[in-house]
Amino acid sequence: MILKKIKILRKKFKQYKIDGYIIPKNDEYFSEYAKNDRLKNITGFSGSAGFAVVLKKQNYLFVDGRYTIQAHQQSSKNFKIIEIHKKLPHTIIKNFNLGYDPKLFTSKLLSKYFINNNLVSIDQNLIDQIFRFKEKHTKPFYSLDTKIVGEAYGSKISKVVRFLKNNKADYCFISAPENVAWLLNIRGYDNPNSPIANARLILNKKKELCLIANENNLKNLLLEKKIKKKQILPINSLPQFLDDLKGKNSVSYTHLTLPTKRIVEI
């Protein structure tokens, strides 16, 4: 079954003019407990960290020392197992056109691991194209009582806004769900082993915020009037929203690839 999937994946290389494809463990929220475990699907490896590179004639699975034995047991039939702390990918994989899903990688990781290759951004994930994952419905986000968390979310927002003003910034883009959960005092059911709510957030110096999340997960927050419907920003609208910030100064707590003219990383 794994070999069949690899063959189907390789057939797509010509269409996208690539020599290989990179598959990480994490999802677009950089959780190791990915709802759609693409790495396991294409390699059989079920560990919580690692990534694979499928080339036209060779396949590699990169893991750390915790998973060496497990990776050999589960994936060595179709993949060469590499301990990443001993050998970085760019020392083995050189001068290839490598496709990747830009939602699943940071620019820092790509430049560190694949510096000797030409990277090709492909918006539609190739693993999703060859395997249909079951859609998992989750329950809406919920708020924690201020007595439990120790500080009201309004107070936290004020602190971030002061930080923006001190840095002469107009907007703050928060990409890490755990930071959004902390700021708004919310939790969710998106991950099997963590109550972190899968969401991103943009906050400006006027304390106006946009929450980037599945609207179905925001029913409770709307009822509580913690947010208004106009403050919900669909993920597909994020690139255009960022383009509309032309000329603005922003502070970013993320390593995602964003328009550098408008982002100041702190």
Side-chain angles (χ1 to χ4, degrees):
M1 180 64 80
I2 295 295
L3 186 57
K4 183 180 179 181
K5 292 176 185 177
I6 291 171
K7 288 180 178 178
I8 296 172
L9 176 60
R10 283 174 172 163
K11 286 180 180 178
K12 293 185 173 291
F13 288 2
K14 186 176 182 180
Q15 176 186 347
Y16 292 98
K17 298 178 181 179
I18 56 176
D19 305 305
Y21 191 67
I22 313 168
I23 307 102
K25 173 68 178 185
N26 60 275
D27 61 15
E28 60 268 35
Y29 293 97
F30 292 85
S31 169
E32 63 184 21
Y33 301 107
K35 167 172 75 170
N36 296 335
D37 196 338
R38 300 179 178 97
L39 184 63
K40 181 180 178 181
N41 184 267
I42 199 69
T43 67
F45 173 66
S46 61
S48 66
F51 62 88
V53 179
V54 175
L55 301 173
K56 291 178 179 178
K57 295 183 179 180
Q58 180 67 278
N59 308 312
Y60 296 94
L61 175 59
F62 295 88
V63 297
D64 61 48
R66 295 173 297 169
Y67 295 114
T68 307
I69 295 174
Q70 180 181 345
H72 277 283
Q73 290 174 339
Q74 294 180 328
S75 308
S76 60
K77 184 177 179 180
N78 297 299
F79 287 80
K80 186 172 182 179
I81 311 301
I82 305 293
E83 294 182 67
I84 197 165
H85 56 288
K86 293 181 179 179
K87 195 171 287 188
L88 291 177
H90 68 76
T91 63
I92 305 169
I93 302 169
K94 302 177 182 179
N95 303 317
F96 287 105
N97 292 320
L98 298 178
Y100 71 98
D101 183 340
K103 299 184 295 297
L104 306 180
F105 292 91
T106 65
S107 55
K108 185 177 181 180
L109 184 145
L110 290 172
S111 61
K112 177 181 178 181
Y113 287 160
F114 300 101
I115 191 171
N116 295 329
N117 296 275
N118 178 45
L119 296 171
V120 181
S121 175
I122 302 173
D123 290 334
Q124 293 186 332
N125 192 282
L126 300 192
I127 304 301
D128 293 352
Q129 290 183 33
I130 66 177
F131 182 83
R132 178 169 290 184
F133 293 94
K134 283 186 178 181
E135 188 173 347
K136 296 179 181 179
H137 299 282
T138 61
K139 292 186 279 186
F141 301 162
Y142 60 94
S143 292
L144 296 176
D145 192 284
T146 304
K147 293 179 181 178
I148 296 174
V149 296
E151 185 177 4
Y153 74 94
S155 172
K156 294 179 180 180
I157 287 175
S158 295
K159 287 181 178 179
V160 176
V161 168
R162 284 199 297 272
F163 184 80
L164 285 176
K165 291 179 179 179
N166 289 338
N167 283 275
K168 298 180 180 180
D170 301 300
Y171 290 84
C172 176
F173 174 55
I174 303 175
S175 69
E178 60 269 25
N179 292 340
V180 177
W182 172 85
L183 183 66
L184 296 183
N185 292 339
I186 60 174
R187 300 294 185 269
Y189 301 91
D190 295 316
N191 299 290
N193 302 302
S194 169
I196 297 301
N198 283 347
R200 300 184 180 98
L201 183 144
I202 296 174
L203 176 68
N204 69 19
K205 62 183 179 181
K206 297 179 181 179
K207 296 186 179 181
E208 298 168 336
L209 65 85
C210 288
L211 196 57
I212 307 158
N214 186 327
E215 189 170 342
N216 292 328
N217 288 342
L218 304 178
K219 295 176 182 177
N220 291 337
L221 305 189
L222 288 166
L223 288 172
E224 296 168 14
K225 297 184 179 179
K226 182 170 276 188
I227 62 167
K228 298 177 181 178
K229 195 157 189 175
K230 66 180 182 179
Q231 293 176 289
I232 301 172
L233 181 67
I235 185 63
N236 294 336
S237 302
L238 179 59
Q240 184 59 53
F241 183 93
L242 293 173
D243 283 341
D244 292 340
L245 296 184
K246 189 174 183 179
K248 303 292 183 181
N249 292 319
S250 298
V251 174
S252 172
Y253 292 98
T254 176
H255 291 104
L256 295 176
T257 304
L258 295 169
T260 54
K261 290 183 180 178
R262 298 187 289 279
I263 298 296
V264 181
E265 288 204 25
I266 302 297

